[in-house]
């Protein structure tokens, strides 16, 4: 598959910053019909050395960093593991939160009977924290900035659901009104801050939300 719809926001010998479109896997799925993904498109179109560092959900769009050599991959992976990166997402959520900002601290775990859903579980869940801030109030929904401290699967989607404000267009977690309010999952990785894996320089990359 070509690099159609994948924007290259930054390129140097150590890494790429790419803008993943919605409805594209970050890495290959297990099923044969799920092999098309961002990393294989890069590897097949001029970047055979590309190595995935972190992932976005299939429906989530936005910024990903891709390493181009083993040392850079190791260092960038360490930064994510040690929470030295900065991540901000833009989302549309249903309803109007009473406050203008808040902090969600609820442990999450995978829910096998309802795969691929995740749930809040105070006994078996892994710690997860998210800061949220309302940017704009728009009738039945609002635009929010989400800043995850941890990086659990489906964290932002489940955390916003847990406070009564599911993301628009979310086929896994939204109720009917929220689901029908947007033709796609309204979640976009809009900012990523990393240290250059070779020089240590702090670098900031932005991608405006397409909704």
């Amino acid at each position: 598959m070509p690099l159609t719809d994948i924007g290259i926001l930054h390129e140097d010998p150590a890494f790429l910053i790419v803008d993943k479109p919605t409805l594209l896997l970050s890495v290959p799925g297990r099923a044969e019909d799920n092999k098309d993904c961002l990393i294989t498109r890069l590897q097949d179109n001029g970047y055979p050395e590309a190595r995935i560092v972190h992932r976005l959900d299939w429906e989530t769009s936005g910024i990903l960093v891709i390493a181009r050599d083993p040392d850079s991959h190791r260092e960038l992976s360490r930064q994510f593991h040690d929470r030295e990166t900065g991540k901000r997402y833009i989302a549309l959520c249903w309803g109007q939160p009473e406050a203008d900002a808040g902090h969600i601290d609820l442990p999450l775990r995978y829910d096998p009977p309802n795969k691929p859903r995740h749930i809040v579980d105070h006994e078996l869940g892994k710690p997860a924290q998210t800061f949220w801030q309302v940017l704009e109030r728009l009738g039945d929904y609002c635009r929010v900035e989400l800043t995850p401290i941890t990086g659990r699967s489906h964290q932002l989607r489940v955390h916003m659901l847990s406070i009564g404000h599911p993301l628009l267009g979310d086929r896994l977690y939204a109720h009917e009104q929220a689901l029908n309010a947007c033709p796609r999952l309204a979640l976009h990785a809009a900012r990523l801050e990393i240290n250059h894996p070779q020089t240590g320089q702090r670098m900031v990359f932005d991608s405006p939300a397409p909704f």
Side-chain angles (χ1 to χ4, degrees), residues 18-162:
V18 301
D19 202 347
K20 187 186 87 67
T22 186
L23 305 184
L24 180 66
L25 293 169
S26 296
V27 298
R30 293 181 180 178
E32 280 301 316
D33 59 352
N34 284 338
K35 297 306 181 186
D36 180 35
C37 65
L38 181 138
I39 195 66
T40 54
R41 287 194 190 186
L42 288 169
Q43 291 169 347
D44 292 345
N45 291 274
Y47 303 96
E49 75 286 355
R51 296 166 175 245
I52 200 80
V53 176
H54 61 126
R55 306 178 187 185
L56 293 175
D57 291 343
W58 174 63
E59 294 172 291
T60 304
S61 57
I63 296 177
L64 281 171
V65 59
I66 305 292
R68 301 187 69 184
D69 64 74
D71 289 340
S72 295
H73 181 266
R74 190 176 304 109
E75 168 57 18
L76 289 166
S77 297
R78 184 201 63 77
Q79 291 181 35
F80 277 88
H81 179 269
D82 294 345
R83 299 176 188 169
E84 294 179 4
T85 61
K87 294 177 284 185
R88 294 183 190 174
Y89 292 72
I90 298 298
L92 302 178
C93 70
W94 184 259
Q96 297 293 337
E98 291 186 12
D100 289 330
H103 173 230
I104 304 168
D105 185 358
L106 292 172
L108 304 175
R109 70 165 174 85
Y110 181 48
D111 187 30
N114 297 292
K115 63 180 183 180
R117 289 171 57 96
H118 289 67
I119 58 172
V120 173
D121 187 325
H122 292 279
E123 293 184 359
L124 302 176
K126 295 180 179 180
Q129 297 182 36
T130 302
F131 287 96
W132 60 270
Q133 179 179 356
V134 175
L135 300 178
E136 187 178 10
R137 296 182 182 271
L138 299 158
D140 290 334
Y141 63 93
C142 60
R143 181 178 298 270
V144 293
E145 180 182 85
L146 304 176
T147 303
I149 306 305
T150 51
R152 307 299 178 198
S153 294
H154 295 189
Q155 175 177 319
L156 302 178
R157 300 159 73 175
V158 179
H159 269 177
M160 292 306 292
L161 174 69
S162 74

